[in-house]
Amino acid sequence: MIIEYKDLIGSKTVGPVDVCIIGSGAGGATLAYYLAKAGYSVVVLEKGGYYPASELGRKEVYMLTRIQSPMIFTPATGEYTRVSLIAGQCYGGGTVASESVTWDFPEVVGRDWAKLGLKSFDFDANPKLSEYQKELNKLLSVKPVEMHHHNRCNQVLAIGAEREGIRWKSSDRPVEFCFRCGNCTQGCHYGVKKDAANTFLTWSHKFKTEVYCGAEVTSLKVNYATEGDYPYSEKLKKAQGAVKEDILRELKNQKKSAPAKFTVYAKMRDAKANAPRKGEPDYKNLTVHASNVILAAGPVGTSRILLKSRINPNGVVGKQFSTQPGSMNMALFPELEIRGWDGINDSTEIHHYCYIFRDEPYYDPSRHGFLCESALSLPWGMCNILPGVGKEHLELMRDLNHWAGIEVILKSDSYGRITEDDINFDISERDNEALLFATWVICRVFFRAGAKEICTGLPGLILKSPNQLDEIFRYRYPGAKRKGFMIKQANLYSGHHFGGAIMGIERESSFADETGECHDIKGLWVGDGSSFPTTVGVNCAMSIMFVARKTAEHFIEKVARAQ
Ligand SMILES: Cc1cc2nc3c(=O)[nH]c(=O)nc-3n(C[C@H](O)[C@H](O)[C@H](O)COP(=O)(O)OP(=O)(O)OC[C@H]3O[C@@H](n4cnc5c(N)ncnc54)[C@H](O)[C@@H]3O)c2cc1C
Ligand code: SF4
């Protein structure tokens, strides 16, 4: 059942339920389905609104301001970097606004995590992982885009890459019967994109899941612990005599008034209204009592809920934030009508320098580890990407139908920190080199495909001939101490975020264990990208669903064992 502001007569208290999931995106929706299917009572709280397929589609600015988070206007910044963070904010989260490019969770990343101590992510040692991946691909009908379905923008990438002799492929997408309207980022009007709204959330309703839309969680209270809870179970193991008596007394006193283990406080708003309706309160209070809470509000949302709730074991919350910065490069093909928004937006990718090939002899760890994807925007987006002001900008926009775009997605090794008000992030020297090299690769591909002019992702750097390619490595923005992207003016953005409540083996440096459950507070779980200790280097919605699928299995096992 979907419940919105209009369905609430006044404030409401729900529960006790078995599980309250905060956030309905890639992670939250997957967990809602698997846990509801396993017989648990599940309530999902989603800050954004509910948009059925009929309300989605080609309404560029309107849709972006409804299904995406306003976080884009508060970029992650550091000493010399500015990255605009984009994320979904609606029933289905980021998957509704996604271009649907799909990659399996990379096995090399699993091996890296196993080296960090998260042994259950080793594909060789844990055969269940391959089964989860197969199961998800089947459920979401993931398959490559057919060759004859690539539009001209995507053909430009393929042709240029072929001529350069570098590997490219058709993107995998979770779609059945695609109409190729090219509006994936405004949500699929035809309901054929297998985003989390059309799949896991819809399926979870069969098992009576309740999803509250417009419900922004403001805080979370941990109620009283029992003898079996962390850290009490551990304290009791070692305690003797008077110390043990003290702990038991403490627990007894706490248990007296414990209705359920967690209380989640949310404010229900009309997420679709620009302002409160006349005579209506701005919000209605919603309180949920639950035995377990799963945080799946995206790395920024999850960290901030914890920080605001003063739940920060060992001071780890908000740390190890990582993202996959990208930049957009545009090329002009005066003799070719590209119209990249007609047809599938993002159906080809250069994966030659991708992290998954890090064991290949040509792989250079100091500057490889990125994907290039064909991408283009509708007019408002193009205005934001194309440089210049006034007449100069208008001249570029006049050729709107002739621009093609390729973006970079970086397997970043940079880390930042999420606080209650800011996101602190700087790209590393290595990431800077990789972004410059990726820009160089993209420009070569464009020229090979016949481009006459390229507006690179480096502000002000426009190339009109392949002879100028070296300028990319010499690029220095006037007044900037460091070269290339390591400047705040660079147009970097990312929709792939991780960390803030990471998994790890040490309590001192991580929030959750490898099952996704908090080390220190039993029954508190992380189910979104927040738990990832590193980036994955590919489009990540499937990786988040994959880890959530694994977490669901651990949840079911652990809860069954405890009963
Ligand atoms: C425009 C765009 C295009 C993308 N394209 C692709 C792509 O082609 N392929 C791909 O693999 N990935 C893509 N991504 C990334 C992918 O969508 C995300 O990585 C993924 O959805 C993240 O999953 P998540 O569960 O961590 O968080 P999300 O899916 O972001 O879900 C978190 C949810 O929590 C809600 N929330 C936040 N705070 C609160 C709160 N306080 N209370 C209640 N709810 C809250 C949010 O509204 C949101 O709906 C794209 C992202 C964007 C924004
Ligand atoms: S391109 Fe296909 S999946 Fe994307 S919005 Fe259009 S019909 Fe839906």
Side-chain angles (χ1 to χ4, degrees):
M1 199 193 337
I2 297 166
I3 302 146
E4 297 175 272
Y5 175 89
K6 63 178 166 48
D7 303 317
L8 254 60
I9 297 163
S11 296
K12 185 174 174 184
T13 300
V14 180
V17 293
D18 295 326
V19 195
C20 174
I21 300 176
I22 307 173
S24 69
T30 308
L31 276 147
Y33 168 64
Y34 280 102
L35 297 185
K37 194 172 156 220
Y40 297 100
S41 52
V42 176
V43 162
V44 180
L45 303 180
E46 167 55 53
K47 182 178 176 177
Y50 166 62
Y51 295 89
S54 58
E55 291 180 27
L56 300 168
R58 185 175 284 188
K59 290 166 269 182
E60 192 183 5
V61 180
Y62 178 86
M63 252 15 277
L64 294 183
T65 51
R66 285 190 173 59
I67 62 173
Q68 287 201 31
S69 157
M71 190 168 71
I72 190 167
F73 302 113
T74 53
T77 56
E79 205 184 324
Y80 42 75
T81 312
R82 192 189 73 182
V83 188
S84 294
L85 304 184
I86 51 173
Q89 186 175 295
C90 61
Y91 176 86
T95 63
V96 175
S98 138
E99 278 122 344
S100 338
V101 179
T102 301
W103 281 83
D104 285 0
F105 176 77
E107 291 193 19
V108 286
V109 173
R111 281 201 285 280
D112 288 349
W113 290 9
K115 279 185 205 144
L116 297 173
L118 307 174
K119 298 263 191 296
S120 60
F121 283 93
D122 185 342
F123 277 72
D124 297 326
N126 184 358
K128 277 190 175 176
L129 298 180
S130 305
E131 283 170 31
Y132 296 152
Q133 192 60 74
K134 266 192 221 146
E135 178 185 303
L136 291 171
N137 284 337
K138 194 170 170 207
L139 279 174
L140 302 181
S141 313
V142 177
K143 49 187 153 331
V145 175
E146 289 180 43
M147 275 305 206
H148 58 285
H149 286 171
H150 297 310
N151 69 8
R152 285 196 178 157
C153 191
N154 285 278
Q155 285 172 353
V156 160
L157 179 146
I159 290 166
E162 287 277 343
R163 290 179 183 165
E164 271 295 294
I166 52 183
R167 273 183 279 199
W168 69 278
K169 73 175 191 72
S170 290
S171 313
D172 284 347
R173 297 173 78 234
V175 190
E176 203 76 78
F177 312 118
C178 177
F179 289 90
R180 309 201 300 277
C181 71
N183 295 323
C184 283
T185 52
Q186 284 100 58
C188 183
H189 181 65
Y190 307 100
V192 293
K193 178 164 96 173
K194 300 217 172 227
D195 56 30
N198 288 327
T199 58
F200 293 120
L201 289 176
T202 303
W203 301 335
S204 77
H205 293 305
K206 284 187 208 148
F207 305 101
K208 303 208 168 24
T209 298
E210 290 185 352
V211 184
Y212 288 81
C213 290
E216 179 182 5
V217 172
T218 48
S219 67
L220 170 67
K221 187 169 155 234
V222 186
N223 292 319
Y224 308 94
T226 69
E227 281 175 44
D229 291 335
Y230 297 120
Y232 291 100
S233 57
E234 302 232 334
K235 276 189 198 166
L236 280 166
K237 260 190 232 163
K238 292 174 217 148
Q240 283 176 346
V243 179
K244 190 169 181 174
E245 295 290 311
D246 279 350
I247 299 170
L248 289 172
R249 198 173 312 113
E250 188 185 328
L251 283 166
K252 200 173 161 208
N253 290 339
Q254 287 180 340
K255 262 194 273 180
K256 264 184 206 157
S257 53
K261 190 138 192 231
F262 297 92
T263 311
V264 185
Y265 300 98
K267 286 181 175 167
M268 277 285 274
R269 291 193 175 84
D270 185 349
K272 291 182 181 176
N274 293 330
R277 292 183 210 283
K278 222 175 172 187
E280 291 258 354
D282 182 21
Y283 62 84
K284 295 169 190 168
N285 288 314
L286 178 68
T287 308
V288 181
H289 295 295
S291 309
N292 297 276
V293 166
I294 301 180
L295 296 149
V300 178
T302 289
S303 294
R304 289 201 170 142
I305 291 167
L306 288 169
L307 291 170
K308 281 183 190 148
S309 309
R310 305 287 170 250
I311 299 174
N312 191 359
N314 299 310
V316 295
V317 174
K319 287 188 180 168
Q320 294 280 108
F321 164 71
S322 54
T323 191
Q324 301 189 151
S327 77
M328 182 64 121
N329 300 271
M330 306 290 301
L332 188 63
F333 294 80
E335 286 127 41
L336 194 63
E337 181 132 84
I338 302 269
R339 293 180 60 87
W341 49 84
D342 282 339
I344 303 166
N345 211 290
D346 201 332
S347 65
T348 55
E349 309 166 89
I350 294 171
H351 61 310
H352 191 98
Y353 301 100
C354 198
Y355 184 66
I356 52 173
F357 296 132
R358 66 170 190 204
D359 297 330
E360 303 262 336
Y362 69 82
Y363 188 86
D364 174 357
S366 65
R367 56 184 193 166
H368 294 174
F370 59 84
L371 267 177
C372 302
E373 291 183 347
S374 170
L376 208 78
S377 277
L378 286 162
W380 180 77
M382 295 282 282
C383 267
N384 284 304
I385 298 164
L386 288 172
V389 288
K391 223 173 152 192
E392 185 195 355
H393 181 71
L394 277 177
E395 283 300 318
L396 297 176
M397 282 299 284
R398 202 158 281 148
D399 288 320
L400 195 62
N401 291 356
H402 297 272
W403 288 98
I406 303 182
E407 63 180 343
V408 190
I409 294 180
L410 190 71
K411 165 89 173 76
S412 167
D413 69 354
S414 319
Y415 289 97
R417 184 171 189 166
I418 301 162
T419 69
E420 278 185 57
D421 312 305
D422 291 314
I423 304 159
N424 207 280
F425 182 81
D426 263 323
I427 60 167
S428 64
E429 291 278 353
R430 194 209 79 90
D431 285 357
N432 189 61
E433 289 311 308
L435 277 162
L436 286 177
F437 179 67
T439 306
W440 181 81
V441 169
I442 289 171
C443 292
R444 283 184 72 95
V445 166
F446 271 147
F447 281 128
R448 283 288 204 152
K452 294 288 180 279
E453 183 174 338
I454 302 170
C455 294
T456 69
L458 293 159
L461 186 64
I462 297 177
L463 307 182
K464 299 205 171 178
S465 143
N467 299 333
Q468 291 175 286
L469 279 166
D470 283 351
E471 287 186 29
I472 293 167
F473 295 111
R474 289 199 298 269
Y475 182 84
R476 208 176 271 274
Y477 196 70
K481 285 200 187 103
R482 296 171 195 249
K483 68 179 177 179
F485 288 92
M486 282 184 144
I487 50 169
K488 284 199 179 175
Q489 288 84 352
N491 193 8
L492 296 181
Y493 58 88
S494 172
H496 304 161
H497 319 305
F498 313 92
I502 63 162
M503 293 179 286
I505 43 167
E506 305 286 346
R507 279 159 191 255
E508 292 71 29
S509 54
S510 59
F511 182 81
D513 62 24
E514 62 188 309
T515 67
E517 189 174 24
C518 176
H519 289 298
D520 284 350
I521 305 165
K522 205 178 163 200
L524 184 61
W525 298 74
V526 195
D528 58 7
S530 313
S531 69
F532 284 35
T534 69
T535 56
V536 289
V538 292
N539 307 68
C540 59
M542 176 57 92
S543 292
I544 291 168
M545 289 176 172
F546 168 84
V547 175
R549 168 72 187 90
K550 177 175 177 291
T551 299
E553 194 76 15
H554 292 301
F555 182 103
I556 294 163
E557 275 168 16
K558 273 195 183 178
V559 173
R561 220 182 308 136
Q563 277 164 356

